[in-house]
Amino acid sequence: MGQVSFSDQERLQGIRRGERGAIESLYQDFFDRIARYIIQNSGSRDHAADIFQDAMVVLYQKAQSPDFQLSASIYTYLFSICRNLWLKKLRKSGKEEVTNEFPAEYTHEAPNDAELEEQARFQLYRKKFRQLGEGCQQLLRLSLKGLKMKEIVRQLGLSSEQYARKKKFKCKEQLVRLVQADADYEDLRYDGKS
């Protein structure tokens, strides 16, 4: 079975639609090159896999914006995200030395630190949200959609609005505790300077 070749625009459209082939093509074509960079700069293949996955999430979310346009190749953009994420991780661990610098073109158009931090906060929130029980997840999802408490009670078959409000409060408290207990929480707290 031959490998399918995608143009950058086809990949971008495929990513927007969540098409597996477009996403897999990014891994096939770019992961090894990005992994080499991370390994040459104090990392491992596991680090590279984590960074690449995080970069794919950033790329996916950016691609969902209707006004998002690539002004460089998709590889350059993805590499820039990976490089910025890796350098940030190195700074956090106290290993700022980078042995293999890349030309400025690879930092062109990449999300800035504030965008990457916001993305990391969102990922932490999602990870902890998935740790909540199914009942809490459903209640909070409906609440986030803006449904009135009366409608939430009806949809979830709860006993009363008062009970639903109390349960929502407890679910939010639980989510906050889960987020605050995470090792990355202190690094991701808003500092008020954004």
Side-chain angles (χ1 to χ4, degrees), residues 27 31 34-35 37-39 41 43-59 78-90 116 119 123:
Y27 277 95
F31 176 73
I34 289 171
Y37 167 76
I38 290 173
I39 291 166
N41 289 285
S44 68
R45 195 152 177 92
D46 287 341
H47 290 129
D50 290 343
I51 293 293
F52 196 87
Q53 181 64 37
D54 289 347
M56 290 293 292
V57 171
V58 172
L59 177 60
L78 191 60
F79 177 84
S80 297
I81 297 169
C82 289
R83 181 179 185 275
N84 288 347
L85 288 169
W86 183 241
L87 291 175
K88 184 175 176 115
K89 187 172 183 76
L90 286 176
L116 292 173
Q119 176 64 34
Q123 286 176 316

Side-chain angles (χ1 to χ4, degrees), residues 2-99:
Q3 183 176 342
V4 177
S5 181
F6 292 90
S7 73
D8 281 354
Q9 285 308 313
E10 289 171 328
R11 281 183 168 136
L12 191 56
Q13 291 305 317
I15 289 165
R16 283 185 172 131
R17 292 188 298 264
E19 292 175 2
R20 187 177 182 159
I23 294 166
E24 285 176 352
S25 77
L26 293 177
Y27 277 95
Q28 290 171 355
D29 294 346
F30 306 141
F31 176 73
D32 286 337
R33 287 192 272 173
I34 289 171
R36 240 185 332 275
Y37 167 76
I38 290 173
I39 291 166
Q40 290 171 350
N41 289 285
S42 307
S44 68
R45 195 152 177 92
D46 287 341
H47 290 129
D50 290 343
I51 293 293
F52 196 87
Q53 181 64 37
D54 289 347
M56 290 293 292
V57 171
V58 172
L59 177 60
Y60 173 80
Q61 290 184 333
K62 287 286 192 184
Q64 299 312 304
S65 171
D67 59 342
F68 177 73
Q69 295 287 322
L70 285 171
S71 61
S73 74
I74 202 164
Y75 172 73
T76 299
Y77 187 76
L78 191 60
F79 177 84
S80 297
I81 297 169
C82 289
R83 181 179 185 275
N84 288 347
L85 288 169
W86 183 241
L87 291 175
K88 184 175 176 115
K89 187 172 183 76
L90 286 176
R91 279 192 296 272
K92 277 185 184 178
S93 68
K95 297 180 187 177
E96 279 194 65
E97 263 186 58
V98 175
T99 58

Side-chain angles (χ1 to χ4, degrees), residues 93-110:
S93 68
K95 297 180 187 177
E96 279 194 65
E97 263 186 58
V98 175
T99 58
N100 193 3
E101 286 292 337
F102 278 77
E105 70 185 72
Y106 288 108
T107 57
H108 175 72
E109 181 185 327

Side-chain angles (χ1 to χ4, degrees), residues 130-185:
R130 287 190 299 264
Q131 291 177 5
L132 293 173
E134 187 60 34
C136 277
Q137 287 184 36
Q138 288 176 337
L139 192 146
L140 292 176
R141 275 192 195 108
L142 293 174
S143 181
L144 287 169
K145 286 181 179 178
L147 266 63
K148 302 266 186 220
M149 201 53 72
K150 188 174 193 172
E151 180 61 20
I152 292 173
V153 167
R154 188 190 68 71
Q155 283 194 29
L156 297 180
L158 300 175
S159 58
S160 69
E161 287 182 44
Q162 182 179 1
Y163 173 76
R165 275 193 265 292
K166 186 174 181 178
K167 182 172 172 83
K168 178 182 169 188
F169 178 78
K170 296 248 184 229
C171 291
K172 286 171 82 175
E173 271 188 334
Q174 183 182 4
L175 180 58
V176 167
R177 280 194 305 274
L178 286 169
V179 168
Q180 290 177 341
D182 191 277
D184 291 332
Y185 172 70

